[in-house]
Amino acid sequence: MLFQKLLQRVSRIACQNCKSSTFKQAIKYSTSSASDVPVYKLSSRGIVRVKGRDTIQFLQGLVTSDVECLGSVMGAQYSMLLNIQGRVQYDLILYDVSQIYGEKAVFMECDRNMVNQLITDIKKYKIRKKVSLDDLSSSYHVYATVSDKGGHLIELASAAVETTDPRVTDFGLRIISEKDPCDVVEDEAGYHESRLQWGIPEGPQDLPPGNCFPLESNLVFMNGVSFSKGCYLGQELTARTHHTGVTRKRIMPLVFEKHPGNIEPGETIQNESNKNVGKFRSSCGIYGLGLLRTNDVAGNLLVKNTQQETVSLKAVIPKWWPEST
């Protein structure tokens, strides 16, 4: 497969059963050389393969997205696996890879350090389901580009997956392959800086397992939940919160006045009146993420690093958020 195929994928509409927002996957590609944009190897991400005739039925009762749309309407989708209290356990990107195995199969991308625990947790729900669960993290690797300066075509005939990132329109490309592309960048810092600038949480540092809620983590904004597909783990609280229409706190991008040094995840963020407005999650360079009260983020904010130095920062509302937010 070649990335040229992506030029034909100018839009993607969620299936009628999803009844969720339109999935727009248009990316404008530059004719510049592919070498102008780095391809990051995301060693922090792992792959779990779910394969077998009951794959869709099995996942449908576990994760927040409508997995029945995967493959028929979209090749990839963002999703979360919640605990029974409705809190986030894992953030996932699901990919339909049935064409590789000749039967229904899905790659689940998650934080690499959580792969074994993810398999252990979902095996509890495998009773009588004809599915197999395998860790393929040593065979398949995740790569990404980011489109801060526009997308670029990349030829990678060995790729198992070539797709736009399903979380945020125009953020970049997602690639899963057994072989490295040419000139791959092993250091993930550039990818994470861009991801934080866009306000996209990823992994347990941004989404501490069992300690955060999916809607506060912008799951709806990232097309990762269906409110019509039926029951799944944590569905009741998530649906009830959504239908109240009130989400007072959200994960938001942070921009620091200078390199902040080390900040403990969960450190309190205050405004200039010393009012607590949220919690710090993670940073890379001068960019970071925090869970903040959206009504209290105007002006300068303050947080202390591990050296007890007070660092000034600002919260940013991402351009890709709905205008009504």
Side-chain angles (χ1 to χ4, degrees):
M1 296 180 290
L2 299 177
F3 267 95
Q4 283 90 333
K5 294 180 181 178
L6 290 173
L7 290 172
Q8 301 172 0
R9 303 177 187 175
V10 294
S11 64
R12 183 183 65 191
I13 307 298
C15 65
Q16 293 295 325
N17 293 333
C18 291
K19 296 181 181 178
S20 57
S21 59
T22 300
F23 288 78
K24 298 179 180 178
Q25 288 292 306
I27 282 189
K28 296 180 180 179
Y29 288 94
S30 166
T31 57
S32 303
S33 169
S35 62
D36 292 343
V37 63
V39 179
Y40 297 101
K41 185 174 184 177
L42 305 185
S43 300
S44 60
R45 305 294 284 177
I47 297 293
V48 174
R49 183 186 64 191
V50 185
K51 181 168 69 75
R53 72 183 189 190
D54 293 333
T55 293
I56 299 302
Q57 180 188 5
F58 175 60
L59 293 176
Q60 187 78 327
L62 294 178
V63 302
T64 57
S65 59
D66 190 343
V67 190
E68 291 185 354
C69 295
L70 189 64
S72 59
V73 177
M74 63 198 73
Q77 63 182 199
Y78 184 55
S79 193
M80 287 182 177
L81 179 64
L82 312 180
N83 63 19
I84 58 175
Q85 289 81 30
R87 290 173 170 83
V88 180
Q89 285 295 111
Y90 306 93
D91 63 303
L92 309 167
I93 301 180
L94 309 181
Y95 306 92
D96 177 63
V97 290
S98 303
Q99 75 283 358
I100 298 176
Y101 298 101
E103 61 178 317
K104 185 55 68 175
V106 171
F107 280 173
M108 303 173 67
E109 178 196 325
C110 69
D111 185 87
R112 187 160 191 160
N113 292 328
M114 302 181 76
V115 164
N116 291 337
Q117 189 60 49
L118 172 62
I119 292 174
T120 298
D121 286 347
I122 62 179
K123 272 186 175 179
K124 299 174 185 177
Y125 304 94
K126 183 177 173 289
I127 301 172
R128 297 180 182 176
K129 296 291 193 304
K130 300 295 183 182
V131 295
S132 62
L133 303 169
D134 300 286
D135 178 5
L136 299 189
S137 303
S138 60
S139 302
Y140 286 94
H141 307 287
V142 181
Y143 307 86
T145 70
V146 292
S147 5
D148 294 353
K149 298 180 181 179
H152 296 258
L153 292 175
I154 301 170
E155 294 187 5
L156 187 58
S158 63
V161 172
E162 304 163 317
T163 184
T164 50
D165 193 305
R167 296 171 294 187
V168 179
T169 300
D170 292 350
F171 171 60
L173 306 179
R174 216 71 173 178
I175 307 157
I176 298 178
S177 177
E178 294 179 285
K179 298 180 180 179
D180 286 350
C182 295
D183 302 321
V184 67
V185 179
E186 298 279 352
D187 185 353
E188 299 182 24
Y191 165 78
H192 290 296
E193 281 196 11
S194 294
R195 178 177 63 78
L196 296 176
Q197 283 182 267
W198 281 70
I200 301 174
E202 185 176 280
Q205 192 169 14
D206 293 338
L207 301 165
N211 289 301
C212 57
F213 293 100
L215 302 191
E216 293 179 348
S217 305
N218 302 325
L219 183 64
V220 176
F221 294 173
M222 294 189 286
N223 305 312
V225 61
S226 169
F227 294 105
S228 61
K229 73 164 188 170
C231 294
Y232 55 87
L233 282 176
Q235 179 263 346
E236 184 176 354
L237 177 61
T238 304
R240 185 167 66 245
T241 303
H242 171 71
H243 290 301
T244 64
V246 179
T247 302
R248 294 184 174 87
K249 294 185 289 184
R250 290 193 180 277
I251 289 181
M252 299 182 67
L254 309 175
V255 181
F256 293 92
E257 185 179 49
K258 61 181 181 179
H259 194 291
N262 294 322
I263 304 174
E264 287 289 339
E267 183 68 34
T268 298
I269 298 174
Q270 297 181 321
N271 61 19
E272 292 180 313
S273 301
N274 294 323
K275 178 181 178 181
N276 294 348
V277 299
K279 300 291 185 181
F280 170 80
R281 287 289 174 80
S282 71
S283 65
C284 186
I286 63 168
Y287 303 105
L289 288 181
L291 179 66
L292 305 176
R293 296 185 181 90
T294 54
N295 289 334
D296 298 317
V297 297
N300 288 328
L301 304 176
L302 306 169
V303 66
K304 288 186 177 181
N305 61 23
T306 55
Q307 302 299 314
Q308 295 303 300
E309 299 170 333
T310 299
V311 183
S312 179
L313 63 130
K314 290 185 180 294
V316 180
I317 297 177
K319 294 181 180 180
W320 54 270
W321 281 15
E323 293 182 3
S324 58
T325 302

